[in-house]
Structures are given as structure tokens and as C-alpha cells.
Amino acid sequence: MPHSLTRVQRVHNPKYQPSGPKSYVFLLNKYNFAPTKPGPYFQGGKVQQKGKHGLGRLFGGKAQVQKVLQKRNATDGQPGDVPAEDQQNDSQYLCTVTIGTPPQTFKLDFDTGSADLWVWSTELPKSTSTSGHNVFDPKKSSTFKKTVGSTWKISYGDGSNASGDVGTDNVNVGGLVIQKQSIELAKSLSAQFSSGVGDGLLGLAYGSINTVTPKPVATPVENMIAQTDIPKTSELFTAYLGSYKDKNDPDHGASFYTFGYLDEKALNGQTPYYTPIDNSKGFWQFKSTTASVGSKKIQRAGNTAIADTGTTLALVDDNLCKAIYDAIPGSKYDDQQQGYLIPSDITVDQLPVVSFDVGGKEFAVQKEDLTFADAGDGFTYGGIQSRGNLPFDILGDTWLKGIYAV
């Protein structure tokens, strides 16, 4: 291992307040899928006008119906917009990265489910409060260069978005300096993006889903691989997602990423298991054709899954969801919270071992991660929920905490 490469510590955000429904709404927005289980949130149609229309423009207008996430009013059942406070807008864990010369420090959410590296910047309007955030100032970096004509925009299913312009600069991730890395500077942030404590996001997915136009830019990992200081045998990154709640475990709840090397201590003498990745959709996607719930093996012909470090929950198909919660005494589905709940007083020995296939070998969810957040009235929101009409599983932190992902 090159001596300059170190672990990128994943630090727990002390202000993070876990909420099952808010985390689920975040995923409905991020992946723009329609729920298939009952609840207040659904995917509806919203008319958007384009072209010449309105007062004095009687001809040439064009109306399009766009699918958007909506919420039923609890009183009369009428559809409406999803309030910003209904979504989990904060990150549970953040990583330190420096950008520019001299280096400016930021706490970013590392996300294998997206491919943009964006940060809060001095280009944000004065009306956007930057209190508590590190804000990138391109004028203070001698190595920053603006990419003329390039812009970026991340849009979610409820219409929320973040956008701005683009430049290049040096980025230090775990001791590895990526030169001339494209940085997306936030110029506009809707409430859903601006209410968390993080300073932006570092996407670890494939560059094909990068949002920069007119031409997508290479991601940090792609540029790391292009640099000659990473050996050909170490064109990789790893994720070891412990929990701050596991401070009494042998690893003391360590949580980190590495870039350009395998952490031998995390491997603990084991040989890594590899499976082919399908990156055609831009994700870390693999075959996942079986699952186990206790002693019951469930066949899932043709099923695939993606690994997403930017997701707190795990989402699977409705049949598998039902099989999991049927095996948990006292669990139930709650329409109001649009999710499965588990009795808070349940003991670990009452929980089944749940495992998911990764290209022919199953890896289990840690039992304590089957529960996610307090749901009130003596129940806890489950860590595994419905993927709705998505054609693949999303295996987030609920599952990733039980493995060392390479």
C-alpha cells in the first residue's frame, strides 16, 4: 500500500435524527419509483406547460404530464405536494475531503448510488443560509479552473433539485490527490437539499449517470484509476460500514472507505469474494437470485440488486418483504407510515437470519440492523422495506453494515 493512502473515516453525524418514513420518502424521490404498498405517498401525474402559453399566447402551447411523488391529505385524501420536512434531508454519516490549493475542507456524503461530486459554494444566493456549512470559494484556490459552458442539475421525484456550474480542481480523498477533478458548484439548492448538515456529495457510481451537460464528467473513482499512482492491481475502493452503536464490538464500530488498497485489518484473514458487475445503468449492480429467511430459501429468478452506500434502508420486492416480516413475531404493516414495523421489545434471538445472494453466495444482514428507527407506540420501523415497482433491489446500509464491500 502506498504510504500516502489512508482510511477515509466515515463520521457519524450527531444531529442526524433517524426516521423510517422520511428515509423511505427520500428513496422514493431518489429512484423515482411508485410505491406498491398502501400509504400516504404515491406517484401521480402533474401537468407541465411548455412552449408559448398563457395570457396573450393562445397558440403553440404544449402540455405534458410528468410523474411526480405526491402525498394524500390526511383529512380529505386529496393529492398535494410532498413537504420538504417529510423527507430525510440529512446524512447519517459524512466523510472529510479537501478541495483546492490551499486545501478547503468539506464533509461529504459518499454515495455509490449517484455519480456527481457537488459542494456548497460561494455562488449560492445570499438568501440561502450557509450557517454550519463549509462553502467552497473557487477564488481562493489557485488550481481551480472554470469549465465554460458546463452545468449540472440533480432532480428528484418530487421536483426538488440542486444545480450550478462546473470547474476543475485538485481533490484529496484519503491521501490520494486527484488532479483536475471536475467539481460541481451549487448555485441553487431547494429546501430538500439545503437542510442537512453535510457540505455536498461525492458520487461513487459510474460516470454514465453523471448529470453534467452538455457532456458528463469523469467521477473521482474513474479519475483515480486513470492516474498512474494507483497500481493496476488496486483499481478499487472499499467500504467498511460499521455503526456508532457498535463501539463495544472488537472493531469499535469503525466505519471507513479506502481508495487504491484493501484494508488487511478489515479483511481479517479472509479472501475477498468477487462477482461480475453490470454497470449498464450506472450502478454497482449484480445478480441476486436467492434470499434466505431463517431456514427458508426463496428463489428469485432473474433478480438483480444494487449496492448503495447513500441509502440507509434495504428495499426488496413485496413477496420477499412479506416473507421476512411473517418470520418476525408481532410485526405488522402500517399504512400511515407506509412501512413494516417490528415490536420494540423483540429480542435478537427472536429475529430470523436474513441473507441476500451476491452472484451465487449469500451474505446476511446483522440482526440488529433489521430494526431501523423508533416508530412510536412500542414499534420500530424495519430496516428492510418494499421497493415498489423498481425492477431491482436496493441494498443500502442495512445490509452493507454486515460486510466489507470491495
Side-chain angles (χ1 to χ4, degrees):
M1 178 187 94
H3 73 276
S4 60
L5 301 182
T6 60
R7 292 179 174 184
V8 181
Q9 298 296 333
R10 192 169 175 255
V11 180
H12 178 248
N13 170 11
K15 294 184 179 180
Y16 177 83
Q17 297 293 325
S19 165
K22 288 185 178 183
S23 291
Y24 192 62
V25 170
F26 170 79
L27 289 171
L28 288 170
N29 274 324
K30 181 177 180 179
Y31 288 98
N32 199 23
F33 66 91
T36 50
K37 300 290 290 180
Y41 304 99
F42 68 102
Q43 202 173 66
K46 201 169 188 178
V47 176
Q48 281 196 333
Q49 294 284 350
K50 292 188 176 182
K52 296 179 180 180
H53 55 84
L55 186 63
R57 299 187 176 191
L58 302 179
F59 305 102
K62 185 178 181 182
Q64 292 184 332
V65 178
Q66 183 182 21
K67 290 182 178 180
V68 296
L69 185 67
Q70 294 184 298
K71 182 183 181 181
R72 293 183 183 87
N73 186 292
T75 304
D76 57 17
Q78 292 298 307
D81 293 336
V82 178
E85 60 268 20
D86 278 23
Q87 176 177 299
Q88 182 56 271
N89 302 310
D90 209 352
S91 300
Q92 189 173 11
Y93 293 91
L94 298 165
C95 298
T96 299
V97 170
T98 65
I99 301 173
T101 309
Q104 300 176 43
T105 301
F106 303 91
K107 289 183 171 60
L108 304 181
D109 180 11
F110 281 23
D111 182 6
T112 58
S114 59
D116 290 83
L117 194 178
W118 70 267
V119 292
W120 285 60
S121 81
T122 51
E123 297 184 0
L124 286 164
K126 292 182 180 179
S127 58
T128 301
S129 173
T130 58
S131 176
H133 289 278
N134 298 306
V135 179
F136 181 64
D137 186 346
K139 294 179 181 179
K140 292 183 178 179
S141 174
S142 62
T143 45
F144 178 83
K145 184 178 180 180
K146 186 169 183 176
T147 307
V148 179
S150 290
T151 60
W152 65 281
K153 184 176 183 179
I154 298 173
S155 298
Y156 278 177
D158 63 350
S160 60
N161 62 78
S163 61
D165 46 28
V166 184
T168 60
D169 211 332
N170 296 338
V171 177
N172 188 317
V173 180
L176 195 155
V177 179
I178 313 164
Q179 297 184 0
K180 298 180 180 180
Q181 170 63 45
S182 290
I183 312 294
E184 299 163 34
L185 280 61
K187 206 170 185 177
S188 173
L189 295 173
S190 59
Q192 288 87 336
F193 284 86
S194 62
S195 58
V197 302
D199 305 318
L201 181 143
L202 190 149
L204 295 170
Y206 288 87
S208 59
I209 58 173
N210 177 265
T211 70
V212 172
T213 59
K215 182 182 178 181
V217 299
T219 66
V221 170
E222 288 171 333
N223 280 332
M224 286 178 192
I225 291 173
Q227 291 185 174
T228 57
D229 58 344
I230 296 180
K232 194 73 178 174
T233 55
S234 299
E235 295 178 349
L236 53 81
F237 72 92
T238 76
Y240 187 84
L241 309 187
S243 171
Y244 72 101
K245 294 184 289 187
D246 298 334
K247 60 184 179 181
N248 294 323
D249 285 2
D251 64 359
H252 305 294
S255 190
F256 58 86
Y257 293 87
T258 69
F259 295 85
Y261 75 98
L262 292 171
D263 189 289
E264 294 298 333
K265 190 172 182 180
L267 279 174
N268 195 28
Q270 300 180 73
T271 301
Y273 169 81
Y274 294 99
T275 191
I277 293 295
D278 175 4
N279 65 1
S280 60
K281 295 183 179 69
F283 301 120
W284 296 91
Q285 191 165 2
F286 47 85
K287 292 180 180 179
S288 184
T289 58
T290 66
S292 293
V293 182
S295 59
K296 184 179 180 182
K297 190 91 158 184
I298 299 168
Q299 298 298 322
R300 311 176 73 204
N303 189 67
T304 62
I306 69 170
D308 183 3
T309 60
T311 294
T312 51
L313 304 171
L315 303 186
V316 299
D317 70 83
D318 288 345
N319 289 335
L320 180 53
C321 251
K322 186 176 185 304
I324 291 168
Y325 289 97
D326 280 351
I328 300 175
S331 65
K332 65 178 183 178
Y333 183 83
D334 184 271
D335 289 6
Q336 294 305 308
Q337 302 198 52
Q338 206 147 348
Y340 285 95
L341 309 183
I342 298 171
S344 299
D345 60 358
I346 200 165
T347 57
V348 172
D349 63 307
Q350 292 177 290
L351 294 170
V353 174
V354 177
S355 58
F356 301 113
D357 170 43
V358 179
K361 183 177 180 178
E362 291 190 1
F363 294 86
V365 176
Q366 295 181 124
K367 284 190 174 184
E368 62 265 31
D369 293 319
L370 291 173
T371 59
F372 175 62
D374 180 54
D377 297 324
F379 282 89
T380 301
Y381 199 85
I384 301 172
Q385 298 293 340
S386 165
R387 73 185 193 193
N389 69 348
L390 268 179
F392 51 82
D393 299 341
I394 302 174
L395 300 182
D397 288 6
T398 291
W399 177 74
L400 287 167
K401 286 178 182 178
I403 66 170
Y404 181 37
V406 179

